[in-house]
Amino acid sequence: MDLGHDAKEAWDEWEIHCLVLASLSLQVFLSLTADLRQRSASRVLCTLLWLAYLSADTVAVFVLGHLAVHAQAPRHELMLFWAPFMLVHLGGQDSITAFSKQDNELWTRHLLGLVTQTAVAGYVVSKSSWPDIRLRAAMVLMFLCGFFKYSGRTYCLYSASPKIVRASTMAGLWLIQSDLRHGQQASGNRTEVTYAKERFEVMFQADKCWEFIKDQTRFTSEVEDIMLVDTPVDDVLITIKSEELSDIVMEFKDMPDRCVAYQYVAAHLVQSYQWLYTKASLLKIVQDLDSETRADTLLHWLILVPFDLTYNLFQYISTAIALVLFVSAQKEGHHSKADIAVSYILLIGAIVLDLLPAFMSIVSYARKPLRPRSVYECAFFCVSSCIQPQGWRTIKQWSEELAQYSMIRRYTSLRGDHGCMSSIWKWILKCKPLGAWCVEFLDLARTPVSDDLKLFVLDKLLFLETRIQEWDFANFRGQRALGKWMDSHQVPVEEPERSCYAALHKSLSSGVEFPTSVLIWHIATEICYFSGDNGHGIENDETRTTTERKKRSRELSQYIMYLVFKCDVLLTSNSRYLHYRAVERLTEILLDQSATDNLDEKKAAIKVFDAMKEEQMQPLVLQSPEKEALYSLVLHRAHAVAQELTDIDDEADRWHLISEVWLEMFFYTAPRCGPDFHYEHLSTGGEFISHVLLLMRSLGPFMPKPAA
């Protein structure tokens, strides 16, 4: 019996040691890799980080339960010293408090966890009977440190919850309305003009971007205005001086380094990420105190400075003091060597967890493109990184990749040269329960956001900014682009539905839902892309420009498809059904018995076009109006649009029209994604469309009216 009891006790001891070290390992892993989810588009990496994030709290809570039940033996009494470290681990890292928007929404669950786990940890440490006061003092320091860290994390989740942030944003909207009401009086001076010029200088001149990033107080308000309200609003100062924007932007529209404007908006999004997903919101307490006491210098030094110093000193020095006390305490002969070793690992690990964010922030200063230019600046930011490690980053903060969803590529992906592999892929696609899951996981690709694509979008915005009559371009979803093209080709506008471009007009009309228009134009764009020579032949400036337009149009087409049909942006039930029916029909066309086993995208697109052409020649027989309403006409409409586009003899002219339509659709989508979309995707660095939306707001009064 004694042998069995000793074996069980040894097993429990080994189990608790492993769990404690696993909890510490998870915390270190998250500290080192938390920022990677913003800079990597890898689903595998994001899944691993998500599992580590969820497991970290679970393991810490599990360890606390084990300590409360099993750490009662005098020989293992030192295990009681580990309970405060579990509170430290539950407090998380400075670099991450939430993994997604839903974590912030569940802040009440963390508040309940704070109360219950603090009570459990208090119960565990109350069972200790250490005679050495130094060991008790170390335990008290770590308990307070863990409690403050866990409380700080809970406060950050609360302050970043959508309900609380939107409530605070409403106050900002009231201020904006007040400014607009008094805009006539404010426009009497040159303040707004100076503000606009300074903004454009910072946006389009790379050497001034570093100065802008140092002034972090200007970041958060603009992003909150587009991410936390249902309808994005225009910048009030830009709106007041909107009539002078055309003249101001002419100085910057042709600058060679104008693409740096994306770094400007990325800096805003990075800062917003810090406030919503890290412990940076704790600094808001200090900033609020600073704003309240700034008028009274004496009060400022008596309240703010001591509070700030105490908070930071306790955060970074308490663990070091606890380590010194633990080293000097009497342990040998009273506790097992394994327990002492684990205690040292936990103390050193806690110090490492405190220093890692500051170290990573300091390392980021040595990277381009925003490197400090003097020893003074370097020293200043090194000190600042220790005080505010989660708020200072100069490295790339998002993957800079576009998700691409092509309805045709899914039938050519993973199709090998061997019949076996092709047969397996056919079976997967045709098996609806398994096929739906596999397609959802495998039909997305990613492509880099190149400087060419950035300039493609930015130059269009700058061009539109110089044309005041087109500042409402975000209200159109391709109709204006098509109308301007028809005007240039002298197509009668009285009855465009009866012209030779009737299908083009009908596909973009208000009678067709926007997701359905996207679906029609996506299939037509794929067909047109593979119907041409794709850049083969004599190369000159015109052909190079056309090739670039083709590439960028297709990238935008597949990206908007991803936004609509994978992220449910503006998606309706009817359009979802039409997409489902179109997928079914494409499956029948591309996976029938006569299909070649190794179709590439070009062959697949041509095969779809030929099949639709044959169907167009056959009369559509339906038994009832109800069946006609349920029948998917997307492929028929897409064929008609593709036919009219390919009938345009001049390829450059054709792709000029296609690219203009997709750009207009892109600008139409940006302010209508909804705040939840931008909020959620900010946790992974922000989507390209979030950057473009902030760019639209920064350049001019381009936001659609609420009724639009």
Side-chain angles (χ1 to χ4, degrees):
M1 294 294 293
D2 291 339
L3 182 61
H5 178 74
D6 291 342
K8 183 178 184 303
E9 184 179 351
W11 171 260
D12 290 340
E13 177 186 357
W14 179 84
E15 183 182 16
I16 293 178
H17 287 175
C18 291
L19 287 172
V20 168
L21 295 178
S23 179
L24 177 61
S25 301
L26 286 171
Q27 297 298 325
V28 174
F29 174 77
L30 285 173
S31 294
L32 290 173
T33 59
D35 286 343
L36 290 180
R37 63 189 181 134
Q38 292 182 278
R39 305 193 300 273
S40 174
S42 171
R43 290 188 176 186
V44 175
L45 177 60
C46 289
T47 302
L48 289 176
L49 291 175
W50 177 71
L51 290 175
Y53 175 80
L54 294 182
S55 302
D57 288 357
T58 303
V59 172
V61 172
F62 195 62
V63 170
L64 269 178
H66 268 56
L67 293 177
V69 175
H70 298 290
Q72 301 295 328
R75 181 185 170 205
H76 300 298
E77 192 177 16
L78 191 59
M79 288 184 180
L80 304 178
F81 181 62
W82 302 344
F85 290 93
M86 297 304 104
L87 290 181
V88 173
H89 294 173
L90 287 170
Q93 313 80 30
D94 290 342
S95 55
I96 179 175
T97 57
F99 196 87
S100 65
K101 178 175 67 70
Q102 287 74 18
D103 295 326
N104 291 329
E105 292 173 338
L106 296 175
W107 68 270
T108 51
R109 181 178 297 180
H110 287 270
L111 178 61
L112 178 62
L114 170 65
V115 174
T116 56
Q117 302 310 319
T118 301
V120 172
Y123 168 78
V124 172
V125 299
S126 67
K127 295 295 182 179
S128 63
S129 57
W130 304 318
D132 196 322
I133 193 173
R134 289 166 295 187
L135 198 57
R136 286 177 174 270
M139 182 267 295
V140 171
L141 276 176
M142 292 310 303
F143 187 89
L144 291 176
C145 181
F147 174 76
F148 287 143
K149 279 183 174 290
Y150 201 0
S151 301
R153 179 189 182 187
T154 305
Y155 170 79
C156 291
L157 293 172
Y158 162 77
S159 62
S161 60
K163 182 179 179 180
I164 300 302
V165 178
R166 284 172 184 160
S168 63
T169 305
M170 288 302 298
L173 291 177
W174 282 108
L175 291 177
I176 290 175
Q177 291 182 0
S178 176
D179 290 340
L180 288 175
R181 283 195 297 267
H182 297 85
Q184 190 64 32
Q185 292 87 339
S187 63
N189 53 54
R190 304 295 295 175
T191 304
E192 292 79 17
V193 178
T194 304
Y195 170 79
K197 287 185 177 180
E198 289 178 351
R199 168 182 285 186
F200 292 155
E201 287 176 357
V202 170
M203 289 180 65
F204 301 118
Q205 296 182 15
D207 58 343
K208 292 195 176 183
C209 196
W210 174 244
E211 296 295 332
F212 165 76
I213 287 183
K214 290 194 298 183
D215 185 11
Q216 299 190 56
T217 60
R218 300 168 61 184
F219 282 146
T220 57
S221 61
E222 293 193 13
V223 180
E224 288 180 354
D225 289 340
I226 69 168
M227 296 185 59
L228 304 173
V229 294
D230 294 329
T231 304
V233 295
D234 291 311
D235 185 285
V236 58
L237 294 179
I238 291 293
T239 303
I240 292 174
K241 279 298 176 183
S242 58
E243 67 276 5
E244 300 186 24
L245 288 180
S246 298
D247 296 332
I248 297 175
V249 79
M250 291 299 294
E251 305 176 17
F252 304 97
K253 64 186 299 287
D254 295 323
M255 296 188 67
D257 56 353
R258 60 190 180 279
C259 206
V260 77
Y262 287 94
Q263 293 183 14
Y264 171 89
V265 297
H268 282 281
L269 292 173
V270 167
Q271 187 69 2
S272 183
Y273 167 80
Q274 303 294 343
W275 287 104
L276 296 176
Y277 289 100
T278 74
K279 291 184 178 179
S281 57
L282 288 175
L283 299 173
K284 193 174 187 302
I285 302 176
V286 179
Q287 291 182 357
D288 291 342
L289 287 174
D290 190 13
S291 61
E292 292 176 3
T293 61
R294 189 178 298 274
D296 191 335
T297 305
L298 180 61
L299 190 63
H300 173 82
W301 285 101
L302 289 178
I303 296 180
L304 178 63
V305 175
F307 175 82
D308 198 12
L309 289 176
T310 302
Y311 172 79
N312 288 288
L313 287 176
F314 184 81
Q315 180 180 3
Y316 292 105
I317 296 180
S318 60
T319 309
I321 295 175
L323 176 60
V324 173
L325 291 172
F326 186 82
V327 170
S328 60
Q330 294 182 358
K331 302 175 292 296
E332 287 73 12
H334 300 279
H335 308 286
S336 69
K337 292 183 178 179
D339 292 351
I340 294 174
V342 172
S343 299
Y344 274 119
I345 293 174
L346 287 175
L347 283 165
I348 295 173
I351 294 176
V352 170
L353 288 175
D354 286 337
L355 295 179
L356 267 180
F359 174 76
M360 295 175 66
S361 184
I362 292 173
V363 170
S364 72
Y365 298 145
R367 297 195 176 188
K368 294 180 179 179
L370 305 174
R371 183 181 297 169
R373 295 170 295 182
S374 66
V375 176
Y376 170 76
E377 281 190 355
C378 185
F380 171 76
F381 287 117
C382 286
V383 174
S384 300
S385 66
C386 295
I387 299 175
Q388 187 183 346
Q390 68 275 14
W392 298 83
R393 289 289 188 270
T394 63
I395 55 180
K396 184 177 71 173
Q397 289 293 308
W398 64 301
S399 63
E400 296 192 13
E401 292 185 347
L402 282 182
Q404 302 279 276
Y405 169 43
S406 170
M407 293 187 64
I408 292 180
R409 185 193 298 115
R410 64 161 59 181
Y411 301 99
T412 62
S413 302
L414 299 182
R415 299 181 61 140
D417 295 332
H418 304 287
C420 179
M421 184 62 193
S422 179
S423 299
I424 293 175
W425 184 237
K426 286 183 182 180
W427 179 83
I428 290 176
L429 285 177
K430 289 184 176 181
C431 179
K432 292 185 180 180
L434 177 63
W437 180 84
C438 290
V439 167
E440 287 293 326
F441 187 76
L442 297 173
D443 64 355
L444 289 180
R446 292 192 176 270
T447 186
V449 182
S450 63
D451 288 343
D452 291 337
L453 178 59
K454 292 179 180 178
L455 286 175
F456 186 57
V457 175
L458 177 61
D459 287 347
K460 183 63 177 180
L461 285 175
L462 294 176
F463 170 77
L464 292 171
E465 190 165 19
T466 61
R467 305 173 70 87
I468 299 178
Q469 69 275 15
E470 296 188 25
W471 280 359
D472 59 344
F473 59 85
N475 294 331
F476 297 89
R477 21 175 274 189
Q479 307 101 315
R480 174 177 282 179
L482 178 62
K484 292 172 62 177
W485 184 87
M486 286 186 169
D487 289 341
S488 65
H489 290 72
Q490 299 180 351
V491 178
V493 297
E494 291 79 7
E495 296 181 350
E497 64 277 2
R498 297 184 180 180
S499 68
C500 55
Y501 301 110
L504 294 177
H505 177 268
K506 186 176 181 179
S507 65
L508 297 175
S509 66
S510 58
V512 179
E513 292 181 336
F514 176 71
T516 304
S517 296
V518 170
L519 188 58
I520 293 171
W521 272 79
H522 165 71
I523 298 174
T525 301
E526 293 287 296
I527 293 173
C528 291
Y529 182 85
F530 290 109
S531 297
D533 57 6
N534 290 324
H536 301 296
I538 301 176
E539 184 175 354
N540 51 43
D541 291 341
E542 183 178 356
T543 57
R544 281 192 295 268
T545 301
T546 301
T547 302
E548 284 297 316
R549 281 190 174 273
K550 292 175 65 174
K551 183 179 179 182
R552 303 310 165 205
S553 300
R554 190 170 184 243
E555 288 177 348
L556 286 179
S557 165
Q558 296 184 9
Y559 183 54
I560 296 176
M561 281 288 293
Y562 158 76
L563 294 174
V564 174
F565 292 101
K566 296 300 182 182
C567 300
D568 294 345
V569 172
L570 296 172
L571 186 61
T572 63
S573 298
N574 183 62
S575 295
R576 191 192 304 272
Y577 174 77
L578 293 179
H579 172 258
Y580 171 76
R581 292 298 305 269
V583 169
E584 280 192 332
R585 184 66 189 111
L586 288 176
T587 304
E588 295 173 1
I589 295 174
L590 295 176
L591 293 182
D592 59 10
Q593 295 298 325
S594 62
T596 307
D597 287 339
N598 56 349
L599 280 176
D600 57 17
E601 288 185 89
K602 182 173 183 178
K603 292 180 181 178
I606 295 175
K607 183 176 180 60
V608 169
F609 188 58
D610 293 340
M612 290 190 299
K613 185 183 298 184
E614 294 177 1
E615 292 181 359
Q616 289 287 92
M617 299 178 181
Q618 300 174 359
L620 182 62
V621 180
L622 297 171
Q623 298 178 358
S624 65
E626 291 76 12
K627 289 188 176 182
E628 183 176 359
L630 293 176
Y631 190 82
S632 173
L633 298 177
V634 168
L635 294 185
H636 290 75
R637 295 179 180 178
H639 170 268
V641 170
Q643 186 65 62
E644 291 183 3
L645 289 173
T646 54
D647 287 342
I648 302 175
D649 295 331
D650 188 348
E651 187 180 27
D653 190 29
R654 178 197 315 151
W655 283 101
H656 175 77
L657 169 61
I658 295 175
S659 64
E660 291 296 308
V661 168
W662 280 117
L663 272 175
E664 199 165 284
M665 286 186 175
F666 188 58
F667 296 142
Y668 178 87
T669 306
R672 293 172 173 82
C673 288
D676 289 341
F677 172 86
H678 298 290
Y679 191 135
E680 181 67 32
H681 287 81
L682 191 62
S683 64
T684 54
E687 287 283 350
F688 179 59
I689 200 167
S690 300
H691 292 72
V692 173
L693 175 58
L694 187 55
L695 197 63
M696 290 168 61
R697 187 179 186 276
S698 301
L699 287 175
F702 300 149
M703 297 295 102
K705 300 298 184 290

